[in-house]
Amino acid sequence: MTTALPRFTLKHALTALLVVTLWGLNFVVIKFGLRGVPPLLMGALRFCLVAFPAILFLPRPKIPLKLLLGYAATISLGQFAFLFTAMAVGMPAGLASLVLQSQAFFTVMLSALILKDKLYIQNLIGMAVAGIGLVVLGSASLHASAHPVPMAGLALTLCAALSWASGNVFNKKIGPTNVLSLVAWSALVPILPFFALSYLFEGGDAIVYSLQHFNLTSALAIVYLAVAATLIGYTLWGKLLGSLPTHMVAPLTLMVPIVGLSSAWLILGEALSQQQMTGAVIVMSGLLINVFGGRILGAMIPGLR
């Protein structure tokens, strides 16, 4: 007797669309938040709001402390310290949403090195194509006259992607758990390091000034980042992963850069040059090969992945 595969229903589609929209708009919201708060301080405030009051109502996830600390240090502190700083030094919101998706390749490589997961031919081809796209994108962005992108911003965004991928490895080691509890309790870890880094790199005067002149735009941005993009987004994403096979859910993140690039263009006026667009398309092609290449090769050459 065969078990029927779960169906991708209208409810699943609407949930996925909401999550992708929340995460895609996330990058534009970060830009608005940075107008009133320096990046590392914004990270501290974001995770304060993620953790409180949620941990008062959610049980602590039953996982080893070292895994909780590793997850928080990489996917929370590392990822957003690098991402927020990258966007503060000039990384456009739309391009950040795209380049951050290189975490998929870093995850594959780290999983192969650390967890001994097998690398398939589509992973290698996808990484090669995306690498070429990043070179084209970086070169075009460096010499763009309308919207130049500092190489520091591109490099920091790649560091954010590597941090996210490292967090994914910790997530694999953690295994099945309550996603909302994990996100809320892990948010406790980066709060003090973010405040310490903010004091060290941004200065006490900047912290005091930002808090004294805290405006509505910054407040709404931090609420969005903490509540909408993090607590709501990760909870709904966890429900999708729990009700559908991973191979049906994971490719949906490829829609995030589409929302990110579109919203950055519509709201912030971030237009890409022809060369930048070419690089972006090549990177997206590499992502698509990484996700769907196995099925295409399997259909063309039975038995080959």
Side-chain angles (χ1 to χ4, degrees):
M1 183 176 179
T2 58
T3 303
L5 289 173
R7 292 177 59 249
F8 193 82
T9 65
L10 177 60
K11 181 180 178 181
H12 291 140
L14 292 175
T15 301
L17 181 61
L18 176 58
V19 173
V20 166
T21 301
L22 291 175
W23 286 351
L25 290 172
N26 185 53
F27 298 88
V28 170
V29 173
I30 291 171
K31 280 292 188 182
F32 279 113
L34 289 172
R35 293 177 181 178
V37 182
L40 298 172
L41 178 60
M42 189 166 75
L45 297 176
R46 173 203 178 143
F47 284 102
C48 281
L49 195 55
V50 172
F52 300 101
I55 61 169
L56 302 178
F57 304 98
L58 295 170
R60 182 186 178 279
K62 296 179 180 179
I63 60 175
L65 180 60
K66 64 179 181 179
L67 292 182
L68 179 65
L69 293 175
Y71 175 87
T74 52
I75 212 163
S76 298
L77 177 61
Q79 178 184 185
F80 292 105
F82 285 125
L83 178 62
F84 288 179
T85 304
M87 297 181 71
V89 300
M91 185 67 177
L95 286 182
S97 71
L98 175 66
V99 174
L100 194 63
Q101 291 304 313
S102 61
Q103 60 83 19
F105 304 110
F106 289 131
T107 299
V108 169
M109 290 189 292
L110 290 176
S111 295
L113 290 171
I114 299 171
L115 304 177
K116 307 305 178 184
D117 287 354
K118 186 176 180 181
L119 275 175
Y120 294 100
I121 188 170
Q122 69 267 17
N123 303 135
L124 299 174
I125 296 173
M127 283 187 277
V129 172
I132 293 170
L134 287 173
V135 170
V136 173
L137 182 58
S139 176
S141 299
L142 186 63
H143 299 97
S145 56
H147 295 280
V149 177
M151 290 308 294
L154 186 60
L156 286 168
T157 307
L158 287 171
C159 289
L162 179 59
S163 297
W164 182 0
S166 301
N168 288 339
V169 173
F170 278 105
N171 210 353
K172 280 191 171 187
K173 289 188 174 183
I174 289 170
T177 189
N178 185 300
V179 178
L180 186 57
S181 291
L182 177 62
V183 169
W185 279 89
S186 66
L188 280 174
V189 177
I191 293 174
L192 289 180
F194 259 122
F195 275 121
L197 289 170
S198 179
Y199 183 81
L200 182 63
F201 291 104
E202 296 163 351
D205 292 341
I207 294 174
V208 172
Y209 181 85
S210 298
L211 295 177
Q212 287 179 341
H213 296 82
F214 202 63
N215 56 52
L216 181 60
T217 300
S218 297
L220 290 176
I222 291 170
V223 169
Y224 182 95
L225 295 174
V227 178
T230 304
L231 293 174
I232 295 176
Y234 276 102
T235 300
L236 293 177
W237 186 251
K239 288 184 176 181
L240 282 174
L241 286 171
S243 59
L244 293 169
T246 303
H247 73 267
M248 294 178 67
V249 179
L252 297 173
T253 59
L254 294 176
M255 294 173 61
V256 172
I258 297 174
V259 176
L261 287 163
S262 301
S263 59
W265 171 58
L266 290 170
I267 299 172
L268 301 176
E270 291 182 1
L272 299 182
S273 68
Q274 185 174 354
Q275 284 182 304
Q276 286 174 316
M277 184 61 73
T278 299
V281 169
I282 296 173
V283 172
M284 183 62 76
S285 299
L287 290 168
L288 289 169
I289 291 170
N290 183 63
V291 174
F292 298 109
R295 300 180 201 177
I296 297 171
L297 286 173
M300 294 172 59
I301 310 173
L304 177 65
R305 285 196 67 186

